[in-house]
Structure formats: structure tokens, C-alpha cells
Amino acid sequence: MYSTLDTGRNKRLIVAWMLVALSVTLFLTSSGLWIYNAYFQSSAPPPTPKVLHKPGVSPTRTPVASKTAGLYLQKFLQHDYTGMWSLLHPQVQTTWPDQNTYAQYWQKRFQGYTIAGYTLGQASTLSSWVNPETMQEYKDVAMVPVTLQIKPTAETQQEAQKLNTVDPDILHPETLYSSIPMYLSRVDATHWQVLNGGPVDLEAPILPPLHPISHDVKVPIMMYHHISDAPTRTILEKSLTVPTKMLSAHLAYLKSRKAHSITFNQLFDALYYNGPLPSNPVILTFDDGYDDAYTNAYRLLRQNGFSGMFYIITGKVGWKGQASWNQLQEMLLGGMQIGSHTINHVDIGNTYLASHAQAQKELQDSRTSLQQHLHIPIQQFCYPSGEPFRHGSLALRAAIVTLLTSLGYVGSTTDPGETGIFQNSLTPQILLRIRVDGRSDLGTFQASIPW
């Protein structure tokens, strides 16, 4: 029922090579602009905000936690990977194959950049925090914002200037690495252990290499919409709605196969830096930001120990039937991930054909809105209705990929169309997914993941 892997790879590699040849500005003919339900008016794009995680807790005096955070970062600057390893929580250590793999990863993670130092912000305490990589919940956690003093080397700057387009964060990483939250767990009154290293962690923002080596990883990305038991009236509603019992059955099957949910940061760590992945990795994605994403999907994921990515239509947050900003913030602290799905759920290909400026606004303002409300870097995107990767030309697809990259998006998922379970480092804006149809039975779901 799916296209062959070889054919899928060839199509994606064609698009990847076209990016080198095509200019950012393509003279394309005009077409209509499709708007999802109602047009959302907004002002000109504001500047990218300073990223600052605000988990809704009161500042507190945690000098020992801040001291441990500083010690971890000092050892990183000194390339003392053994010392860094000793400060990690034992459960975090188990996410790595061994200490040597951990050291090798950090030796290559920031190649092409100079790190002069760091600054620590005001520490806060949280009653609990969930590690999105393991979905393990920790109590009595300290959060310390860390700003990394980082800049590209002269060689990286010169090489980036030769390319038609690059992620702007490659040239200005100091903005991306501002006030990244570092989480620590209390051992006793005088000892803390690192749960998440902030800017020095697998979950830190991704800086894509300028010339990635072609590398495949086998990671099925499952695509859901509604998770609901509400009655459905049309064929479209039925296809988009997975009952709660069926999602529970899906998660039970994944657990029986010893599958582990991973984050998109883990995916790109593996694609770009040979970062570790657990056995049978899978990513569970949920489109459109409905309120049942919070009431049903999030609840079931937490109960079963899985994380999920939720793609949000920012112009509809808080509307009837849609999740609120407070709910999204709670999901974020509960181990979930958040990505952009435009402001209005537009066909971004047709929007681009009608107005380059409007397409940029849909992509740029949605990212900015998520960053302002959730106080995290937003680097992931999902194409509404899969366009232009279902019906658009190769030239249009290349133009949209170029635009996404120029606005700071690192990865983008498609809507089948083309599908598969292998993700490639050369086509980060064409990550393949497997659609989960609400009319399908459990056997169909099992067959869609050929492990």
C-alpha cells in the first residue's frame, strides 16, 4: 500500500539536488489562495523573541543546583567528558550505549562553532518535570536557564555565505542558545544530578551541518488527527478520527514490540551527529491542535509512557474545539513536543504561488507566536494537507523547502502522498509519515510498520 523505499529516496534526492541549483526567488505563476475556515488577520511579523522557558513556577534559592549546572558546563568547556558523565542522573546515562559514545558525540556536536563561555539565569523549582526522551517523571526538580556564548567559526561563516540559503541560526546561534532550560534532580540537601543539560543536551536546539553526509535512519513517523469517541458524520471525519480505545490498542502494540517514542531532536541528533537512538524508535504526531489532543491523546500517551509531537494552527489556539495555550504549556512540561502548522492551515504551495509574502507570513508568524507563548525554540513544521508534496511541482516544492530553511525551520513532515519509514539527512524538510486512518483496524496499523 506504500511506495517502494528506493523510489521514495530517489524523489527526495531529486528535490534535495534541485535546492542547490534553484535560486531563492522563483518566478512562478499566480494561483488561488485556500484558507482554512476563516482568514486570521495579524500584523507584520515581529522580531524573533528571546527564547526563555517559563514553566510557571516561582524563583527560589537553589545555589547547589546552580553550582552543579555550572560545573557541568565548565567540564564541557574543558572537554572533560568523564566529569560530565559523572554528573548525569543514572537514568539519563542509560539512554546512551556507553560513556565512550557520549564522549564521541560531544566531540563532534559543535564542530564549526566557537564556545567562549556561558551565563546562568535565576534558578527555579518545579514540583515535577517529564523527560521527553524517556517519559520518566521526576519530582523536586530545579530549572536553571543557560545562555551559551557561541558563534560560528570564520570558516563556517565563509562557507555559509557561498550557499544560496542556510538556516539563519547557523550564522547567529547566540539567539537560538539564549536561556535554554537545564533541569536537575535533587539527590539530597547538598547534591543534584543533571537530567537535561540545557544547551549541552540531546534536546538542545539543532544546528544543521552545512554539508550533511547522506545518512538514513529507520524511524516510522505516525500521523494522527482527532483522538475522540465523538460521533462522526462524514467519510472525512471518520478517516481523521481515531477512537480512544484504538489509540490505546496502538500504544499497547508498540509496547509489545518494545518500541520507544523519540523526539525530533533525537531524530536529527542521529541523522547529523550519529546520536543514540533506542530500539525500535517511533515518533507519534498529532495534527491541528484540537482540544482532544489535550483531553485524550496527551492523557493516553502519558499513561502509556510515550511522547508525541503536536502541530499547532496558531490562529485557532483557544477557539472552540481547539487546545488553549495553557493546555499546550502543560503538555510541553509533560514531555510533549510542539511544532508549527501555519497560522490558518493553508495550502502553503498555493499560498506561495499567490503571494510569496503571505506564505512567508504564515510560516514566520506561526513560529514566532509559538515561541512567544511557549518560550521554547520552534524548529519543526508540518505541511497542511501535505502540500505542495502531494500535487505541487518539483520547482514549487524546492521553493517552499528553501523558504522554510531560510526562516529557521530544521525539519518538516509530509502528509502521504509519498510515505515510508526511512528518514534521510539530505531531505530534512521532507520527513515521511504514515497516516493512521480512523476507519482502519489494529491489523492495518501493525502492517504499516514493517519492523
Side-chain angles (χ1 to χ4, degrees):
M1 61 185 293
Y2 302 113
S3 60
T4 64
L5 296 178
D6 289 339
T7 300
R9 290 178 188 170
N10 290 338
K11 288 181 179 178
R12 290 190 287 157
L13 289 175
I14 288 172
V15 175
W17 283 111
M18 286 190 67
L19 297 182
V20 179
L22 286 173
S23 172
V24 177
T25 304
L26 297 174
F27 295 96
L28 299 170
T29 58
S30 295
S31 181
L33 176 63
W34 176 66
I35 302 297
Y36 179 66
N37 285 347
Y39 185 79
F40 178 76
Q41 298 290 340
S42 60
S43 57
T48 301
K50 180 179 180 181
V51 178
L52 177 61
H53 189 78
K54 297 179 180 178
V57 297
S58 301
T60 185
R61 294 183 179 276
T62 53
V64 178
S66 294
K67 182 178 179 180
T68 302
L71 184 60
Y72 184 79
L73 294 162
Q74 290 171 22
K75 291 185 179 299
F76 169 69
L77 294 177
Q78 297 164 358
H79 309 291
D80 180 5
Y81 305 115
T82 299
M84 292 172 63
W85 180 265
S86 69
L87 295 173
L88 290 179
H89 192 287
Q91 290 177 336
V92 177
Q93 291 178 347
T94 63
T95 63
W96 295 85
D98 51 50
Q99 183 177 339
N100 186 53
T101 303
Y102 174 83
Q104 291 176 350
Y105 174 85
W106 288 114
Q107 288 168 8
K108 67 171 65 172
R109 177 64 173 79
F110 289 105
Q111 287 183 357
Y113 296 88
T114 299
I115 301 175
Y118 63 89
T119 55
L120 302 180
Q122 174 66 56
S124 302
T125 55
L126 291 77
S127 58
S128 66
W129 174 76
V130 176
N131 185 339
E133 296 172 7
T134 63
M135 291 305 293
Q136 175 70 44
E137 183 175 12
Y138 297 89
K139 304 291 187 180
D140 193 15
V141 173
M143 189 280 286
V144 182
V146 180
T147 296
L148 210 58
Q149 297 163 13
I150 179 174
K151 63 180 181 179
T153 63
E155 293 79 6
T156 297
Q157 294 182 48
Q158 293 171 1
E159 191 64 23
Q161 291 169 358
K162 297 176 184 178
L163 303 176
N164 287 332
T165 181
V166 297
D167 185 323
D169 292 322
I170 289 176
L171 293 174
H172 302 285
E174 67 281 357
T175 300
L176 189 66
Y177 278 82
S178 175
S179 296
I180 302 298
M182 184 173 183
Y183 296 98
L184 302 100
S185 176
R186 186 192 300 272
V187 178
D188 53 42
T190 59
H191 294 88
W192 292 75
Q193 293 174 322
V194 175
L195 296 171
N196 176 305
V200 186
D201 191 88
L202 287 172
E203 291 303 306
I206 298 295
L207 287 169
L210 292 174
H211 301 288
I213 298 172
S214 181
H215 178 48
D216 277 342
V217 294
K218 183 180 179 181
V219 178
I221 304 177
M222 312 308 293
M223 173 187 176
Y224 294 87
H225 290 82
H226 279 292
I227 305 299
S228 174
D229 297 319
T232 54
R233 297 178 297 276
T234 67
I235 293 177
L236 178 60
E237 286 181 349
K238 291 180 184 297
S239 70
L240 295 178
T241 305
V242 173
T244 55
K245 286 186 178 180
M246 184 56 71
L247 178 59
S248 295
H250 293 172
L251 300 178
Y253 170 72
L254 292 174
K255 291 169 72 172
S256 74
R257 295 302 304 268
K258 295 182 170 51
H260 298 85
S261 60
I262 65 168
T263 68
F264 276 89
N265 279 46
Q266 286 176 280
L267 171 61
F268 281 99
D269 286 331
L271 286 173
Y272 290 152
Y273 318 117
N274 201 31
L277 289 177
S279 61
N280 290 341
V282 64
I283 299 179
L284 305 173
T285 66
F286 301 81
D287 291 9
D288 301 335
Y290 301 116
D291 55 2
D292 57 53
Y294 173 79
T295 58
N296 294 331
Y298 171 52
R299 172 178 58 85
L300 291 171
L301 290 171
R302 283 292 304 271
Q303 288 176 359
N304 288 276
F306 287 92
S307 67
M309 163 62 85
F310 293 83
Y311 292 114
I312 306 304
I313 307 168
T314 57
K316 297 176 73 67
V317 174
W319 287 21
K320 183 178 180 180
Q322 301 290 130
S324 68
W325 288 116
N326 286 340
Q327 289 172 336
L328 295 177
Q329 179 70 67
E330 181 182 336
M331 291 164 65
L332 187 67
L333 288 174
M336 304 299 113
Q337 308 153 64
I338 304 294
S340 167
H341 206 33
T342 72
I343 304 171
N344 301 298
H345 199 274
V346 298
D347 177 330
I348 200 65
N350 281 343
T351 301
Y352 184 86
L353 291 172
S355 168
H356 293 195
Q358 184 60 34
Q360 178 170 329
K361 182 180 181 63
E362 285 283 345
L363 299 174
Q364 188 171 40
D365 284 15
S366 60
R367 182 177 188 237
T368 297
S369 179
L370 289 169
Q371 292 185 153
Q372 288 177 333
H373 283 91
L374 302 177
H375 314 288
I376 59 168
I378 298 296
Q379 296 187 295
Q380 301 299 323
F381 177 74
C382 172
Y383 299 98
S385 303
E387 299 297 352
F389 285 89
R390 297 187 72 174
H391 303 101
S393 67
L394 288 177
L396 179 57
R397 297 177 188 186
I400 297 303
V401 167
T402 296
L403 179 59
L404 283 162
T405 302
S406 72
L407 294 176
Y409 288 101
V410 169
S412 303
T413 52
T414 59
D415 176 350
E418 183 184 353
T419 188
I421 63 172
F422 283 89
Q423 315 302 336
N424 186 269
S425 59
L426 297 183
T427 52
Q429 307 289 12
I430 317 174
L431 300 175
L432 303 179
R433 291 195 293 177
I434 300 170
R435 174 186 279 272
V436 181
D437 194 307
R439 299 165 295 178
S440 300
D441 59 16
L442 180 59
T444 301
F445 177 83
Q446 295 170 343
S448 71
I449 311 177
W451 281 331

